[in-house]
């Protein structure tokens, strides 16, 4: 089925000037960018976006990192987009990421791991709605 998923290029990958390389991987894999913006997350935004991780030991470091510099957030659309994006990203921990994945190529650590992608249809709906109004998502042929 054609799905939409929420993707973030995290502060480490933005700082490496890797936005274009990462967008190119999405496009070459047949995913279409149907919404996109750059912003610097506030602490409130980062805590709200990652609310499910509140209380985990890595939560404070995650919020610090995600607010450390600008990110890009984008909605990717395509056949099986949620899983396809996760395959492109590779494992959360770059030490476990398959060669050729975004995290194998750009991530430094499990915290500075270059990208985020929704992990289910339910989280995709929530995460897309967190950053984008329906009117900001474009219909593409
Ligand atoms: P992300 O997909 O953005 O979702 C939560 C983030 O928390 C994750 O990527 C990692 O960057 C970070 N994180 C740090 N430690 C862990 C951990 N032990 N398990 C899962 N996520 C972690």
């Amino acid at each position: 089925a054609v799905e939409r998923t929420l993707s973030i290029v995290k502060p480490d990958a933005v700082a490496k000037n890797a936005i274009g390389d990462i967008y190119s991987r999405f496009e070459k894999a047949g995913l279409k960018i149907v919404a996109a913006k750059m912003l610097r997350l506030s602490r409130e935004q980062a805590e709200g976006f990652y609310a499910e991780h509140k209380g985990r030991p890595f939560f404070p470091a995650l919020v610090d990192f995600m607010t450390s510099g600008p990110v890009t957030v984008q909605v990717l659309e395509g056949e099986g987009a949620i899983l396809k994006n996760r395959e492109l990203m590779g494992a959360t921990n770059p030490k476990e990421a398959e060669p050729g994945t975004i995290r194998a190529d750009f991530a430094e650590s499990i915290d500075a791991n270059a990208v985020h992608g929704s992990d289910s249809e339910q989280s995709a709906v929530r995460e897309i709605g967190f950053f984008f109004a329906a009117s900001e998502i474009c219909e593409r042929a």
Side-chain angles (χ1 to χ4, degrees):
V2 174
E3 296 172 341
R4 287 175 174 174
T5 191
L6 190 279
S7 161
I8 304 178
V9 177
K10 294 188 179 186
D12 57 324
V14 172
K16 286 180 176 167
N17 245 3
I19 298 168
D21 186 305
I22 292 169
Y23 275 27
S24 177
R25 292 173 188 228
F26 297 149
E27 293 188 329
K28 285 179 178 142
L31 296 172
K32 291 176 180 173
I33 297 166
V34 295
K37 59 182 140 186
M38 177 178 269
L39 73 163
R40 183 154 179 175
L41 297 178
S42 66
R43 293 198 74 80
E44 291 67 29
Q45 281 176 306
E47 288 172 359
F49 183 77
Y50 283 119
E52 67 175 300
H53 295 304
K54 203 163 181 172
R56 305 278 290 275
F58 59 83
F59 185 75
L62 174 61
V63 172
D64 283 348
F65 174 66
M66 290 301 292
T67 58
S68 67
V71 300
T72 72
V73 294
Q74 46 280 332
V75 178
L76 309 178
E77 184 180 271
E79 190 64 35
I82 296 167
L83 183 60
K84 196 176 270 187
N85 181 41
R86 293 183 71 77
E87 288 171 353
L88 292 171
M89 291 194 296
T92 304
N93 185 344
K95 289 182 187 139
E96 294 163 10
E98 292 292 328
T101 60
I102 294 168
R103 283 165 170 161
D105 290 345
F106 294 111
E108 302 293 344
S109 67
I110 196 168
D111 294 302
N113 68 347
V115 280
H116 167 84
S118 307
D119 66 3
S120 66
E121 274 186 65
Q122 192 188 323
S123 50
V125 168
R126 185 189 81 84
E127 292 177 1
I128 291 168
F130 189 89
F131 284 113
F132 293 99
S135 61
E136 294 178 299
I137 303 172
C138 294
E139 295 285 341
R140 289 192 51 187

